[in-house]
Amino acid sequence: MKKILLLTITCLALASGMSLHAQVLKVGGKEFATFEYFEYGTGWEARRDTSSSSFTLTLDEKYTGEVIHVNSTAKVTIVYTGNVSINSNGAVPIHSPYSLTIKGNSDSKLSLTNTGTESQCYALHTGGILTIEGGTLELSSSGSSVLYNGLFNSKSTALYAAAGLEVAEGVQINATVTGENATGILLAGADQTSDIAGNITASSTGIGSAIWIDNGHKLIVKSGSLVLSNTAASNPIKGNGTFEMEGGTVQYNNGPVPELTAISEDSGELGDSILLTGYNLSDTAKVWVGGKEAIVAVESTDNNVIFIIPAGKAGETASILIEAAGGRTFMKDAFTYTETSYRVTLSIPTEAQLEGNLFVDVAANTAISTLLPVATQEECVFRGWSTDQIDFVPWGEDAEVTSDTLLHGKFIMAAQLVLAADAEKASLSAPITIVFPTNPGDCITDIFNQTSITPDPGNVSCTFEERPVTKAGPTEWVATIYHNDFAPNTEYTITIPKGAFSIYPEAITMTFFSVLPITYAINFDVAEGIRINPDNEDYTIEEGHDYTFYMYMEEGLANKKPYVTVNDQSVAIRETQDGTGWVYRIPEVYADQHIAILLQDLVSNLNPEEAGITIYSSAGALIAETAQPTLITIYNITGQAVVQQRVDSRATFALPKGIYIVRTDKGTTKAIVR
């Protein structure tokens, strides 16, 4: 088992100000609970500086490789000399939830290796700012990232600086990952900046990235070099943060590093076309001016890139950054704006699409409602652009852009056409149903009543109601369109006019075909003394429809009850709510239905209300109906048990003709099978 070096330093506010009051040092399970000034072990020593409330841990080549955890809000520095190695299988070799400084000299090396295979496998991790002031860091992680629906659920990386990374000149960092979809270096911390002046070599795999800039973080390369590679992607820098250069070089996948030598114009305004010249500029995919992405006008050549100036403020001098196939390069303070313009950035959900760029650049004080594109999302309707991320606050048609602006694309679920016959065709006579999965807003009755069907079948009318999907479930909003019979095999279009529902921005149109319905026959055999509604004539019913009928007994048949079979299968009927008859429903008819209704004797002397059990006889059978699970035993006239069964609600027992005794825990009755 790996030994763990755990440094926990607690800072308390004393009367004289902030100072270190107590420190706890754990090395290989040994604890120094009262450590105040100095402790040491093989290849390490820990020293507290009381004057500056700081803490220094020094490592040398004799260090035996314990995993180090530093838990302190004080300033903590790890100093290493010579070649120091820490290897682990799962635990982070060096970890701190707070800021940490690591320092070596020019000929020293600190090697951190994590051979764990789980997700979130790091070689070096800090929750605060990580500062590297000298030496060489060799970082290696073999963990794999976890994906969900093609997106990261957790990342595995060699170096994770959750609040930012500071790398001094002369430092060399080599970050290597071997797991699936792994990232070399992960930088986070919203509204924070990482400054790189040293040299970094980082690799990644799959959809990972050599450097991932997350949570709006900013990375600035001030000098030195970034040598980045990814085995599966051409762009080793990813994330929703920003990347800037003030010096140094950035190389991708061992490609030729781009270089800029001249710019055609050093001043101008939004929309100007600018020519950049240099070397290794082929396949330039992106250009940024002052941090804003520009539009590359034509395909670049090895020596030329032409782009369009994006939005900027008058008098502002901006640097230019480009990304080519072989890496990134920049031209510092290369362009000055002569007129003010603003960028409107468009934010849409991950699953939505937008034809064109995710931004619109316009001159100051310009209304742009007609310039904004329409986004699309499957099974949704684009409602419009909103100034608020949560609520829909529409961008006004005449609103002028007076600053850089962020707009959010808003969608509502599309209405769904429900047809009687199948997913694409409607029956000739059935009403058309349109379901709104989400609340469509206020129904403007006067406009809604103008709903039309083309060609017009005649007598088109409509209703709108809110109804629950299930008793305790969600609600849906339903428009029902009534009409005269459609002509068969004809294309029809329903149009609900614009403004019929307050949150739908446009008219709702849906197209379908009518079709001659498939029908099935329903016929009856009804015993004398039973009346049914509808009457017992033969009927036809369209495919997929339900059929319900009611049964009533004539007077003088108090000891009888209907016994129903559908296509020779016995079915359970239920009493009507008023107790005057019985009802049965055949759901979704997809075949001819032969319904036989017979009379059966009610022979039970059990009190059904008290016992919750009723026994009936029918031709060649006894039928038991129970209100709750009941064990039923049936004996023949000789006293032999011929049936013993637990009945949950209803059961039919086929028996020879004769007299039987039926026993339950509620009582006993005699039954005759004829």
Side-chain angles (χ1 to χ4, degrees):
M1 179 180 293
K2 266 305 173 192
K3 293 187 284 183
I4 296 178
L5 168 61
L6 174 62
L7 310 177
T8 302
I9 305 157
T10 305
C11 299
L12 301 177
L14 302 181
S16 59
M18 295 299 294
S19 66
L20 287 174
H21 181 268
Q23 302 175 14
V24 176
L25 173 63
K26 292 183 180 179
V27 181
K30 186 176 180 181
E31 181 174 316
F32 300 90
T34 59
F35 169 59
E36 292 285 344
Y37 301 105
F38 178 75
E39 286 295 344
Y40 66 93
T42 302
W44 68 271
E45 65 177 36
R47 187 180 298 274
R48 171 193 167 196
D49 185 342
T50 56
S51 62
S52 61
S53 297
S54 63
F55 179 87
T56 301
L57 173 65
T58 302
L59 307 174
D60 63 32
E61 292 181 332
K62 296 179 182 179
Y63 186 65
T64 52
E66 296 93 349
V67 169
I68 297 174
H69 287 185
V70 180
N71 190 350
S72 173
T73 56
K75 180 181 179 181
V76 177
T77 302
I78 297 178
V79 177
Y80 63 96
T81 59
N83 296 324
V84 179
S85 296
I86 303 177
N87 302 318
S88 74
N89 184 10
V92 182
I94 293 183
H95 169 255
S96 172
Y98 302 104
S99 296
L100 181 65
T101 297
I102 298 178
K103 184 176 182 180
N105 54 41
S106 59
D107 59 352
S108 59
K109 179 190 294 185
L110 177 60
S111 299
L112 307 178
T113 301
N114 190 341
T115 57
T117 57
E118 67 277 6
S119 64
Q120 297 184 336
C121 181
Y122 314 130
L124 174 58
H125 176 214
T126 60
I129 296 173
L130 174 63
T131 302
I132 311 298
E133 293 187 348
T136 298
L137 265 63
E138 292 283 352
L139 310 176
S140 176
S141 168
S142 58
S144 296
S145 300
V146 175
L147 302 182
Y148 179 74
N149 287 340
L151 302 175
F152 283 109
N153 194 29
S154 66
K155 294 188 180 77
S156 188
T157 179
L159 189 159
Y160 179 17
L165 175 65
E166 305 285 338
V167 181
E169 289 187 28
V171 170
Q172 176 67 49
I173 299 177
N174 301 319
T176 303
V177 291
T178 57
E180 294 181 1
N181 301 307
T183 287
I185 296 175
L186 175 60
L187 305 175
D191 302 322
Q192 296 191 25
T193 301
S194 291
D195 292 330
I196 308 298
N199 304 307
I200 294 178
T201 299
S203 69
S204 55
T205 61
I207 66 170
S209 179
I211 293 184
W212 196 290
I213 311 171
D214 212 357
N215 294 334
H217 193 78
K218 179 189 289 187
L219 171 62
I220 302 176
V221 178
K222 296 191 171 182
S223 62
S225 65
L226 297 184
V227 179
L228 310 177
S229 62
N230 185 297
T231 59
S234 59
N235 183 355
I237 299 177
K238 295 181 182 178
N240 59 16
T242 58
F243 179 97
E244 297 180 7
M245 292 183 69
E246 297 178 359
T249 60
V250 178
Q251 182 183 29
Y252 289 172
N253 298 319
N254 298 315
V257 178
E259 180 182 351
L260 293 176
T261 58
I263 184 171
S264 61
E265 301 289 340
D266 60 5
S267 64
E269 62 185 45
L270 170 67
D272 287 350
S273 179
I274 300 296
L275 170 66
L276 295 174
T277 57
Y279 303 100
N280 302 324
L281 304 181
S282 297
D283 300 321
T284 295
K286 292 183 179 180
V287 175
W288 294 267
V289 180
K292 287 188 174 73
E293 185 175 349
I295 297 173
V296 178
V298 296
E299 185 175 352
S300 61
T301 67
D302 194 57
N303 301 108
N304 296 296
V305 176
I306 299 175
F307 69 95
I308 306 301
I309 289 293
K313 295 181 180 179
E316 180 183 77
T317 298
S319 297
I320 296 175
L321 174 70
I322 74 162
E323 179 180 68
R328 297 191 184 193
T329 191
F330 79 107
M331 185 176 284
K332 186 175 179 61
D333 298 335
F335 186 84
T336 301
Y337 284 90
T338 58
E339 299 290 339
T340 294
S341 53
Y342 297 112
R343 168 157 293 184
V344 178
T345 302
L346 306 175
S347 174
I348 59 175
T350 303
E351 58 271 21
Q353 295 181 346
L354 186 68
E355 291 189 5
N357 300 302
L358 289 172
F359 57 83
V360 175
D361 290 339
V362 294
N365 305 313
T366 300
I368 63 162
S369 60
T370 58
L371 300 178
L372 294 174
V374 173
T376 57
Q377 185 174 339
E378 188 175 353
E379 298 183 351
C380 290
V381 174
F382 182 63
R383 188 176 181 187
W385 295 104
S386 170
T387 57
D388 188 86
Q389 185 176 5
I390 306 301
D391 298 322
F392 182 65
V393 181
W395 177 261
E397 292 185 0
D398 300 324
E400 295 182 349
V401 182
T402 58
S403 63
D404 288 343
T405 302
L406 174 62
L407 297 181
H408 304 272
K410 295 293 184 179
F411 294 85
I412 51 177
M413 293 294 294
Q416 299 172 358
L417 182 63
V418 180
L419 302 174
D422 58 36
E424 298 178 354
K425 297 180 180 180
S427 67
L428 303 186
S429 58
I432 300 297
T433 300
I434 298 175
V435 175
F436 299 85
T438 55
N439 190 344
D442 297 330
C443 177
I444 314 302
T445 305
D446 291 344
I447 300 176
F448 176 61
N449 287 339
Q450 299 173 27
T451 295
S452 62
I453 302 178
T454 306
D456 185 5
N459 288 328
V460 175
S461 63
C462 46
T463 61
F464 179 72
E465 64 177 338
E466 178 184 350
R467 68 187 186 192
V469 178
T470 60
K471 289 183 178 180
T475 296
E476 63 184 8
W477 293 261
V478 179
T480 305
I481 317 298
Y482 300 91
H483 53 87
N484 286 350
D485 285 357
F486 293 130
N489 301 317
T490 302
E491 183 180 52
Y492 287 90
T493 299
I494 292 179
T495 302
I496 300 178
K498 178 180 179 179
F501 297 102
S502 58
I503 70 172
Y504 274 82
E506 302 295 337
I508 299 171
T509 61
M510 297 179 172
T511 300
F512 59 91
F513 282 88
S514 60
V515 62
L516 284 171
I518 299 173
T519 59
Y520 296 102
I522 296 180
N523 56 72
F524 291 87
D525 285 330
V526 182
E528 187 176 350
I530 298 177
R531 175 174 54 87
I532 66 171
N533 183 22
D535 59 34
N536 58 353
E537 295 181 359
D538 292 344
Y539 291 91
T540 59
I541 186 170
E542 289 187 16
E543 182 181 54
H545 283 218
D546 300 344
Y547 184 79
T548 301
F549 60 93
Y550 297 83
M551 296 155 281
Y552 302 92
M553 305 284 295
E554 294 182 357
E555 293 183 4
L557 299 175
N559 293 323
K560 304 280 188 180
K561 179 184 177 180
Y563 174 75
V564 179
T565 63
V566 177
N567 291 339
D568 297 324
Q569 298 294 318
S570 174
V571 297
I573 61 176
R574 59 182 175 85
E575 285 194 27
T576 57
Q577 290 185 345
D578 59 9
T580 62
W582 291 265
V583 62
Y584 183 70
R585 169 177 167 268
I586 305 174
E588 297 184 352
V589 174
Y590 286 99
D592 293 337
Q593 307 289 311
H594 176 71
I595 301 169
I597 306 176
L598 309 174
L599 282 175
Q600 56 188 4
D601 294 326
L602 180 60
V603 298
S604 176
N605 63 6
L606 295 169
N607 187 327
E609 293 184 359
E610 295 180 359
I613 305 168
T614 306
I615 306 297
Y616 304 99
S617 69
S618 183
L622 288 181
I623 300 168
E625 293 181 353
T626 66
Q628 59 187 3
T630 302
L631 180 65
I632 292 178
T633 306
I634 301 176
Y635 301 89
N636 60 20
I637 197 65
T638 66
Q640 180 183 5
V642 293
V643 173
Q644 187 173 57
Q645 180 177 320
R646 177 187 175 89
V647 177
D648 291 330
S649 59
R650 188 177 191 273
T652 299
F653 306 107
L655 295 169
K657 293 180 180 180
I659 300 173
Y660 295 89
I661 303 298
V662 182
R663 176 175 295 171
T664 75
D665 59 354
K666 301 295 184 181
T668 302
T669 187
K670 181 178 72 173
I672 301 175
V673 176
R674 303 182 187 278

